Amino acid sequence: MSENCSHNCGSCSSNCSNRKPADFLVAPNPHSSIKKVIGVVSGKGGVGKSMVTSTLAVLTQRKGKQTAILDADITGPSIPKAFGMKEKAYGTELGMMPCKTKTGIDVMSVNLLLDNETDPVVWRGPVIAETVKQFWRDVVWENEEYMFIDMPPGTGDVPLTVFQSIAIDGIIIVTSPQELVGMIVDKAVKMAEMMNVPILGIVENMSYFVCPDCGKKHQIFGESHIEEIAAKHNIPVVCKLPINPEIAARCDNGEAESYEGEWLNPMIDFLEKI
Ligand SMILES: Nc1ncnc2c1ncn2[C@@H]1O[C@H](COP(=O)(O)OP(=O)(O)OP(=O)(O)O)[C@@H](O)[C@H]1O
């Protein structure tokens, strides 16, 4: 330890034995109460991460558990559209208030703050990362039993900020069954391990297609290896969703809350146990 030690390791470059690992965790708004925080991640874009986030939230809310979605996908926010939300979020003296979906899910997303939902967010990485922190720190999340965080795809700056600043109870990885999946899931798994965040399960989306005429299952993107991948990493739950135009139509038309299907039930049962 230096003679002039200020006990502030964040502002010192000395590699002495008193150095402690930096704690970047950000406290939530003092008026917030959030029991379980689940991150929904994907190694690459367009695999259905937002659809899975919305559907998991719909299912927990349906079970009578007050649920929230923090849309951390700042440059590609799709949650308000999935729920057909048109209103704007507003601030009070306590903090920013989330908007409610028809069934009462609390949502905060950059698209609930922009004048026009088609305005692009052309911001530098640090500004985007700070916005995510504000969604955690400045929003009043009242009596939430579950919060799902829709992460931007990949393992870049914003997922890193979320992992470091928000006390996450676990993550769910969303993939699709292409050849690259093994490598992409490995990357997401390694990032979660580096951040000490447990992986609760994998959702393989667009896993198969059921022919409406003959009922036969077709594996459009090739054979699934998701069970082997999950076993290799000791990931407890695996769910598979088919390619289903109805799922797409509901999400794309703002009717995520009319979801019907049993594909994600094993994940919901598991979430109740953590
Ligand atoms: N199982 C499915 N069957 C049919 N369409 C689907 C399915 N899952 C997702 N889609 C559609 O695929 C598109 C992409 O889905 P989504 O926006 O959820 O992906 P994402 O991984 O969140 O994308 P991004 O990387 O841009 O955030 C949407 O139009 C959605 O409705």
Side-chain angles (χ1 to χ4, degrees):
M1 186 171 30
S2 148
E3 274 176 25
N4 305 321
C5 180
S6 65
H7 302 284
N8 179 4
C9 302
S11 62
C12 172
S13 58
S14 166
N15 198 16
C16 80
S17 56
N18 282 35
R19 177 173 283 282
K20 298 190 187 76
D23 186 356
F24 297 107
L25 280 184
V26 173
N29 184 299
H31 303 284
S32 289
S33 152
I34 312 153
K35 283 200 185 138
K36 291 178 193 170
V37 183
I38 318 290
V40 184
V41 309
S42 66
K44 69 184 189 78
V47 295
K49 173 181 48 62
S50 303
M51 183 279 290
V52 169
T53 308
S54 321
T55 310
L56 289 170
V58 167
L59 292 175
T60 50
Q61 184 78 9
R62 256 186 217 166
K63 287 208 158 211
K65 315 277 184 192
Q66 178 57 50
T67 299
I69 303 178
L70 188 161
D71 189 356
D73 199 347
I74 304 293
T75 54
S78 9
I79 299 297
K81 187 167 191 309
F83 288 95
M85 302 173 86
K86 295 278 172 233
E87 62 272 50
K88 297 289 165 222
Y90 60 92
T92 68
E93 68 278 10
L94 303 179
M96 268 197 285
M97 304 309 286
C99 293
K100 281 201 184 287
T101 68
K102 292 179 206 90
T103 60
I105 301 168
D106 287 322
V107 176
M108 181 50 76
S109 166
V110 81
N111 259 14
L112 299 174
L113 300 169
L114 297 174
D115 285 339
N116 190 338
E117 66 171 20
T118 56
D119 288 346
V121 171
V122 190
W123 297 344
R124 298 272 181 201
V127 180
I128 296 176
E130 185 54 32
T131 307
V132 174
K133 282 197 220 164
Q134 280 188 306
F135 283 180
W136 172 252
R137 189 185 55 214
D138 297 349
V139 174
V140 181
W141 298 106
E142 274 178 315
N143 301 321
E144 314 290 1
E145 297 231 13
Y146 291 98
M147 170 184 278
F148 294 97
I149 303 187
D150 188 13
M151 305 266 239
T155 51
D157 199 24
V158 179
L160 182 61
T161 298
V162 175
F163 278 128
Q164 286 185 326
S165 22
I166 300 180
I168 293 186
D169 293 291
I171 60 160
I172 293 168
I173 301 175
V174 183
T175 72
S176 56
Q178 283 100 338
E179 198 51 43
L180 280 172
V181 160
M183 183 194 75
I184 287 168
V185 173
D186 280 357
K187 279 187 197 287
V189 168
K190 281 181 189 157
M191 183 172 188
E193 282 169 359
M194 285 161 76
M195 299 290 148
N196 279 326
V197 178
I199 299 156
L200 309 175
I202 305 189
V203 175
E204 186 176 72
N205 189 29
M206 310 189 198
S207 188
Y208 56 90
F209 175 73
V210 180
C211 172
D213 298 325
C214 67
K216 196 174 166 207
K217 265 189 184 182
H218 298 275
Q219 297 190 309
I220 309 270
F221 293 120
E223 205 189 324
S224 166
H225 298 285
I226 208 66
E227 262 103 8
E228 295 149 46
I229 295 170
K232 177 174 132 194
H233 294 293
N234 279 326
I235 298 175
V237 193
V238 172
C239 298
K240 292 182 180 180
L241 276 102
I243 298 174
N244 181 333
E246 255 183 56
I247 296 180
R250 289 211 168 107
C251 255
D252 299 344
N253 298 335
E255 291 159 11
E257 282 156 308
S258 65
Y259 166 85
E260 283 169 20
E262 316 237 299
W263 307 290
L264 288 170
N265 290 3
M267 192 69 79
I268 299 297
D269 294 342
F270 186 72
L271 290 183
E272 284 187 334
K273 290 185 213 136
I274 61 165

